[in-house]
């Protein structure tokens, strides 16, 4: 395995962190997922190949345990907004002083600086900010939902778009011709 002997500490978060940890585990890394106390086990399949433990990082004892783990690890996957780890005394300056070879991978939505750095970032946010959500409908025909609720409308429109998109992938005019095809994909 390509990453045999590499140890990774993954702080539990939304999809990017767990997905990254899963891929690293698939390639042979030893991944330890750190969950919040009381959190439910990850049933999404992204916990594949990982060990896990629960730590309360708001308590000195939990911080001390994580620091010991990071002192012996090669990689830390950190999914929090800007400033969270520094407030917990777990920022890169501290952890890399204790372990200079530690790769401190920050997976925040909008980075560590800038006007959006303290906001949560998700794919829907990026689409909205880039104007991508509005331009999707210019390229693909999608029937809009007539549901009154804002929450339901948003979900229904996206489910409708993705369903239409995936269904149309089967159509030859989309340029997806199946496995082994020598036809050029055209969108």
């Amino acid at each position: 395995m390509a990453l045999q002997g590499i140890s990774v500490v993954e702080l539990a978060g939304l999809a990017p962190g767990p997905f990254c940890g899963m891929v690293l585990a698939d390639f042979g890394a030893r991944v330890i997922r750190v969950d919040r106390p009381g959190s439910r086990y990850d049933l999404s399949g992204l916990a594949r190949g990982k060990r896990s433990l629960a730590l309360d990082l708001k308590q000195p004892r939990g911080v001390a345990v994580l620091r010991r783990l990071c002192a012996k690890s090669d990689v830390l996957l950190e999914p929090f907004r800007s400033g969270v780890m520094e407030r917990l005394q777990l920022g890169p300056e501290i952890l890399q002083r204790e372990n200079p070879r530690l790769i401190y991978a920050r997976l925040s939505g909008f980075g560590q600086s800038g006007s959006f750095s303290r906001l949560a970032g998700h794919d829907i946010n990026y689409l909205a900010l880039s104007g991508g959500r509005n331009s999707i409908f210019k390229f693909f025909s999608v029937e809009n939902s007539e549901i009154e609720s804002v929450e339901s409308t948003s979900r229904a429109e996206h489910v409708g778009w993705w369903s239409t998109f995936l269904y149309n992938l089967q159509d030859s005019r989309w340029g997806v011709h199946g496995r082994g095809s020598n036809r050029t994909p055209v969108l």
Side-chain angles (χ1 to χ4, degrees), residues 162-178 183 187:
W162 280 111
S163 299
T164 303
F165 177 76
L166 293 173
Y167 177 79
N168 284 337
L169 281 176
Q170 302 171 62
D171 188 336
S172 64
R173 69 186 165 92
W174 285 71
V176 179
H177 307 292
R183 294 170 66 183
L187 280 179

PDB file of all heavy atoms in Angstrom, residues 162-178 183 187:
ATOM      1  N   TRP A 162     -30.521  17.511 -10.645  1.00  0.00           N
ATOM      2  CA  TRP A 162     -29.613  16.362 -10.655  1.00  0.00           C
ATOM      3  C   TRP A 162     -30.288  15.146 -11.277  1.00  0.00           C
ATOM      4  O   TRP A 162     -29.644  14.399 -12.021  1.00  0.00           O
ATOM      5  CB  TRP A 162     -29.126  16.049  -9.233  1.00  0.00           C
ATOM      6  CG  TRP A 162     -28.026  16.965  -8.827  1.00  0.00           C
ATOM      7  CD1 TRP A 162     -28.081  17.939  -7.881  1.00  0.00           C
ATOM      8  CD2 TRP A 162     -26.704  17.022  -9.377  1.00  0.00           C
ATOM      9  NE1 TRP A 162     -26.885  18.597  -7.818  1.00  0.00           N
ATOM     10  CE2 TRP A 162     -26.016  18.054  -8.712  1.00  0.00           C
ATOM     11  CE3 TRP A 162     -26.029  16.300 -10.368  1.00  0.00           C
ATOM     12  CZ2 TRP A 162     -24.700  18.382  -9.004  1.00  0.00           C
ATOM     13  CZ3 TRP A 162     -24.714  16.634 -10.647  1.00  0.00           C
ATOM     14  CH2 TRP A 162     -24.067  17.654  -9.969  1.00  0.00           C
ATOM     15  N   SER A 163     -31.552  14.937 -10.979  1.00  0.00           N
ATOM     16  CA  SER A 163     -32.253  13.791 -11.565  1.00  0.00           C
ATOM     17  C   SER A 163     -32.310  13.912 -13.082  1.00  0.00           C
ATOM     18  O   SER A 163     -32.046  12.944 -13.800  1.00  0.00           O
ATOM     19  CB  SER A 163     -33.671  13.697 -11.012  1.00  0.00           C
ATOM     20  OG  SER A 163     -33.637  13.523  -9.632  1.00  0.00           O
ATOM     21  N   THR A 164     -32.644  15.105 -13.569  1.00  0.00           N
ATOM     22  CA  THR A 164     -32.699  15.336 -15.012  1.00  0.00           C
ATOM     23  C   THR A 164     -31.319  15.146 -15.629  1.00  0.00           C
ATOM     24  O   THR A 164     -31.168  14.493 -16.668  1.00  0.00           O
ATOM     25  CB  THR A 164     -33.216  16.757 -15.317  1.00  0.00           C
ATOM     26  OG1 THR A 164     -34.491  16.908 -14.705  1.00  0.00           O
ATOM     27  CG2 THR A 164     -33.334  17.003 -16.808  1.00  0.00           C
ATOM     28  N   PHE A 165     -30.314  15.705 -14.991  1.00  0.00           N
ATOM     29  CA  PHE A 165     -28.948  15.596 -15.495  1.00  0.00           C
ATOM     30  C   PHE A 165     -28.513  14.134 -15.585  1.00  0.00           C
ATOM     31  O   PHE A 165     -28.023  13.678 -16.624  1.00  0.00           O
ATOM     32  CB  PHE A 165     -27.997  16.393 -14.601  1.00  0.00           C
ATOM     33  CG  PHE A 165     -26.564  16.281 -15.006  1.00  0.00           C
ATOM     34  CD1 PHE A 165     -26.087  16.973 -16.116  1.00  0.00           C
ATOM     35  CD2 PHE A 165     -25.679  15.500 -14.291  1.00  0.00           C
ATOM     36  CE1 PHE A 165     -24.765  16.874 -16.498  1.00  0.00           C
ATOM     37  CE2 PHE A 165     -24.356  15.404 -14.663  1.00  0.00           C
ATOM     38  CZ  PHE A 165     -23.898  16.097 -15.779  1.00  0.00           C
ATOM     39  N   LEU A 166     -28.711  13.383 -14.495  1.00  0.00           N
ATOM     40  CA  LEU A 166     -28.286  11.981 -14.487  1.00  0.00           C
ATOM     41  C   LEU A 166     -29.087  11.149 -15.488  1.00  0.00           C
ATOM     42  O   LEU A 166     -28.533  10.294 -16.173  1.00  0.00           O
ATOM     43  CB  LEU A 166     -28.405  11.405 -13.082  1.00  0.00           C
ATOM     44  CG  LEU A 166     -27.444  12.011 -12.068  1.00  0.00           C
ATOM     45  CD1 LEU A 166     -27.764  11.507 -10.660  1.00  0.00           C
ATOM     46  CD2 LEU A 166     -26.002  11.704 -12.431  1.00  0.00           C
ATOM     47  N   TYR A 167     -30.386  11.413 -15.601  1.00  0.00           N
ATOM     48  CA  TYR A 167     -31.194  10.702 -16.578  1.00  0.00           C
ATOM     49  C   TYR A 167     -30.692  10.990 -17.993  1.00  0.00           C
ATOM     50  O   TYR A 167     -30.543  10.088 -18.812  1.00  0.00           O
ATOM     51  CB  TYR A 167     -32.670  11.088 -16.442  1.00  0.00           C
ATOM     52  CG  TYR A 167     -33.542  10.431 -17.478  1.00  0.00           C
ATOM     53  CD1 TYR A 167     -33.939   9.108 -17.322  1.00  0.00           C
ATOM     54  CD2 TYR A 167     -33.938  11.115 -18.630  1.00  0.00           C
ATOM     55  CE1 TYR A 167     -34.716   8.481 -18.283  1.00  0.00           C
ATOM     56  CE2 TYR A 167     -34.719  10.494 -19.588  1.00  0.00           C
ATOM     57  CZ  TYR A 167     -35.104   9.183 -19.404  1.00  0.00           C
ATOM     58  OH  TYR A 167     -35.867   8.562 -20.351  1.00  0.00           O
ATOM     59  N   ASN A 168     -30.416  12.254 -18.274  1.00  0.00           N
ATOM     60  CA  ASN A 168     -29.981  12.641 -19.615  1.00  0.00           C
ATOM     61  C   ASN A 168     -28.579  12.135 -19.961  1.00  0.00           C
ATOM     62  O   ASN A 168     -28.214  12.105 -21.134  1.00  0.00           O
ATOM     63  CB  ASN A 168     -30.050  14.154 -19.798  1.00  0.00           C
ATOM     64  CG  ASN A 168     -31.471  14.625 -19.984  1.00  0.00           C
ATOM     65  OD1 ASN A 168     -32.342  13.866 -20.389  1.00  0.00           O
ATOM     66  ND2 ASN A 168     -31.712  15.878 -19.662  1.00  0.00           N
ATOM     67  N   LEU A 169     -27.812  11.744 -18.959  1.00  0.00           N
ATOM     68  CA  LEU A 169     -26.496  11.179 -19.249  1.00  0.00           C
ATOM     69  C   LEU A 169     -26.613   9.899 -20.076  1.00  0.00           C
ATOM     70  O   LEU A 169     -25.691   9.526 -20.791  1.00  0.00           O
ATOM     71  CB  LEU A 169     -25.734  10.875 -17.958  1.00  0.00           C
ATOM     72  CG  LEU A 169     -25.086  12.065 -17.277  1.00  0.00           C
ATOM     73  CD1 LEU A 169     -24.445  11.628 -15.962  1.00  0.00           C
ATOM     74  CD2 LEU A 169     -24.049  12.722 -18.170  1.00  0.00           C
ATOM     75  N   GLN A 170     -27.753   9.248 -19.983  1.00  0.00           N
ATOM     76  CA  GLN A 170     -27.969   8.021 -20.746  1.00  0.00           C
ATOM     77  C   GLN A 170     -28.233   8.298 -22.221  1.00  0.00           C
ATOM     78  O   GLN A 170     -28.105   7.413 -23.047  1.00  0.00           O
ATOM     79  CB  GLN A 170     -29.163   7.266 -20.170  1.00  0.00           C
ATOM     80  CG  GLN A 170     -29.016   6.918 -18.712  1.00  0.00           C
ATOM     81  CD  GLN A 170     -30.313   6.377 -18.161  1.00  0.00           C
ATOM     82  OE1 GLN A 170     -30.790   5.344 -18.622  1.00  0.00           O
ATOM     83  NE2 GLN A 170     -30.887   7.068 -17.199  1.00  0.00           N
ATOM     84  N   ASP A 171     -28.617   9.513 -22.529  1.00  0.00           N
ATOM     85  CA  ASP A 171     -28.996   9.918 -23.878  1.00  0.00           C
ATOM     86  C   ASP A 171     -27.737  10.197 -24.700  1.00  0.00           C
ATOM     87  O   ASP A 171     -26.842  10.890 -24.264  1.00  0.00           O
ATOM     88  CB  ASP A 171     -29.866  11.184 -23.778  1.00  0.00           C
ATOM     89  CG  ASP A 171     -30.476  11.577 -25.109  1.00  0.00           C
ATOM     90  OD1 ASP A 171     -29.916  11.210 -26.155  1.00  0.00           O
ATOM     91  OD2 ASP A 171     -31.510  12.257 -25.088  1.00  0.00           O
ATOM     92  N   SER A 172     -27.666   9.693 -25.906  1.00  0.00           N
ATOM     93  CA  SER A 172     -26.459   9.849 -26.722  1.00  0.00           C
ATOM     94  C   SER A 172     -26.142  11.302 -27.041  1.00  0.00           C
ATOM     95  O   SER A 172     -24.998  11.641 -27.275  1.00  0.00           O
ATOM     96  CB  SER A 172     -26.583   9.048 -28.014  1.00  0.00           C
ATOM     97  OG  SER A 172     -27.638   9.564 -28.804  1.00  0.00           O
ATOM     98  N   ARG A 173     -27.145  12.188 -27.045  1.00  0.00           N
ATOM     99  CA  ARG A 173     -26.843  13.585 -27.357  1.00  0.00           C
ATOM    100  C   ARG A 173     -25.990  14.235 -26.279  1.00  0.00           C
ATOM    101  O   ARG A 173     -25.404  15.287 -26.492  1.00  0.00           O
ATOM    102  CB  ARG A 173     -28.122  14.389 -27.578  1.00  0.00           C
ATOM    103  CG  ARG A 173     -28.950  14.607 -26.360  1.00  0.00           C
ATOM    104  CD  ARG A 173     -30.279  15.299 -26.724  1.00  0.00           C
ATOM    105  NE  ARG A 173     -31.210  15.205 -25.640  1.00  0.00           N
ATOM    106  CZ  ARG A 173     -31.338  16.120 -24.684  1.00  0.00           C
ATOM    107  NH1 ARG A 173     -30.586  17.191 -24.708  1.00  0.00           N
ATOM    108  NH2 ARG A 173     -32.200  15.964 -23.722  1.00  0.00           N
ATOM    109  N   TRP A 174     -25.905  13.611 -25.101  1.00  0.00           N
ATOM    110  CA  TRP A 174     -25.064  14.148 -24.031  1.00  0.00           C
ATOM    111  C   TRP A 174     -23.629  13.686 -24.184  1.00  0.00           C
ATOM    112  O   TRP A 174     -22.755  14.130 -23.449  1.00  0.00           O
ATOM    113  CB  TRP A 174     -25.607  13.726 -22.666  1.00  0.00           C
ATOM    114  CG  TRP A 174     -26.814  14.490 -22.283  1.00  0.00           C
ATOM    115  CD1 TRP A 174     -28.060  14.389 -22.823  1.00  0.00           C
ATOM    116  CD2 TRP A 174     -26.892  15.511 -21.312  1.00  0.00           C
ATOM    117  NE1 TRP A 174     -28.907  15.278 -22.241  1.00  0.00           N
ATOM    118  CE2 TRP A 174     -28.216  15.972 -21.296  1.00  0.00           C
ATOM    119  CE3 TRP A 174     -25.977  16.076 -20.432  1.00  0.00           C
ATOM    120  CZ2 TRP A 174     -28.645  16.977 -20.451  1.00  0.00           C
ATOM    121  CZ3 TRP A 174     -26.406  17.068 -19.586  1.00  0.00           C
ATOM    122  CH2 TRP A 174     -27.720  17.510 -19.610  1.00  0.00           C
ATOM    123  N   GLY A 175     -23.386  12.774 -25.077  1.00  0.00           N
ATOM    124  CA  GLY A 175     -22.020  12.346 -25.332  1.00  0.00           C
ATOM    125  C   GLY A 175     -21.509  11.290 -24.381  1.00  0.00           C
ATOM    126  O   GLY A 175     -20.322  11.021 -24.330  1.00  0.00           O
ATOM    127  N   VAL A 176     -22.362  10.665 -23.625  1.00  0.00           N
ATOM    128  CA  VAL A 176     -21.932   9.595 -22.728  1.00  0.00           C
ATOM    129  C   VAL A 176     -22.402   8.301 -23.368  1.00  0.00           C
ATOM    130  O   VAL A 176     -23.592   8.033 -23.436  1.00  0.00           O
ATOM    131  CB  VAL A 176     -22.523   9.770 -21.320  1.00  0.00           C
ATOM    132  CG1 VAL A 176     -22.099   8.645 -20.421  1.00  0.00           C
ATOM    133  CG2 VAL A 176     -22.103  11.112 -20.756  1.00  0.00           C
ATOM    134  N   HIS A 177     -21.473   7.528 -23.853  1.00  0.00           N
ATOM    135  CA  HIS A 177     -21.823   6.389 -24.705  1.00  0.00           C
ATOM    136  C   HIS A 177     -21.523   5.040 -24.067  1.00  0.00           C
ATOM    137  O   HIS A 177     -21.531   4.040 -24.742  1.00  0.00           O
ATOM    138  CB  HIS A 177     -21.085   6.503 -26.037  1.00  0.00           C
ATOM    139  CG  HIS A 177     -21.299   7.828 -26.688  1.00  0.00           C
ATOM    140  ND1 HIS A 177     -22.519   8.220 -27.200  1.00  0.00           N
ATOM    141  CD2 HIS A 177     -20.468   8.874 -26.863  1.00  0.00           C
ATOM    142  CE1 HIS A 177     -22.426   9.429 -27.680  1.00  0.00           C
ATOM    143  NE2 HIS A 177     -21.200   9.860 -27.496  1.00  0.00           N
ATOM    144  N   GLY A 178     -21.223   5.021 -22.801  1.00  0.00           N
ATOM    145  CA  GLY A 178     -20.992   3.746 -22.161  1.00  0.00           C
ATOM    146  C   GLY A 178     -19.516   3.359 -22.152  1.00  0.00           C
ATOM    147  O   GLY A 178     -18.673   3.965 -22.804  1.00  0.00           O
ATOM    148  N   ARG A 183     -16.415   7.001 -29.044  1.00  0.00           N
ATOM    149  CA  ARG A 183     -17.052   8.238 -29.490  1.00  0.00           C
ATOM    150  C   ARG A 183     -16.643   9.380 -28.554  1.00  0.00           C
ATOM    151  O   ARG A 183     -16.510   9.204 -27.360  1.00  0.00           O
ATOM    152  CB  ARG A 183     -18.567   8.063 -29.491  1.00  0.00           C
ATOM    153  CG  ARG A 183     -18.991   7.016 -30.542  1.00  0.00           C
ATOM    154  CD  ARG A 183     -20.414   6.628 -30.429  1.00  0.00           C
ATOM    155  NE  ARG A 183     -21.305   7.739 -30.754  1.00  0.00           N
ATOM    156  CZ  ARG A 183     -22.620   7.630 -30.663  1.00  0.00           C
ATOM    157  NH1 ARG A 183     -23.187   6.507 -30.292  1.00  0.00           N
ATOM    158  NH2 ARG A 183     -23.375   8.663 -30.965  1.00  0.00           N
ATOM    159  N   LEU A 187     -20.661  17.853 -24.594  1.00  0.00           N
ATOM    160  CA  LEU A 187     -21.708  18.423 -23.725  1.00  0.00           C
ATOM    161  C   LEU A 187     -22.149  19.728 -24.296  1.00  0.00           C
ATOM    162  O   LEU A 187     -21.430  20.487 -24.818  1.00  0.00           O
ATOM    163  CB  LEU A 187     -21.214  18.621 -22.294  1.00  0.00           C
ATOM    164  CG  LEU A 187     -21.216  17.378 -21.434  1.00  0.00           C
ATOM    165  CD1 LEU A 187     -20.679  17.703 -20.049  1.00  0.00           C
ATOM    166  CD2 LEU A 187     -22.595  16.796 -21.325  1.00  0.00           C
TER     167      LEU A 187
END
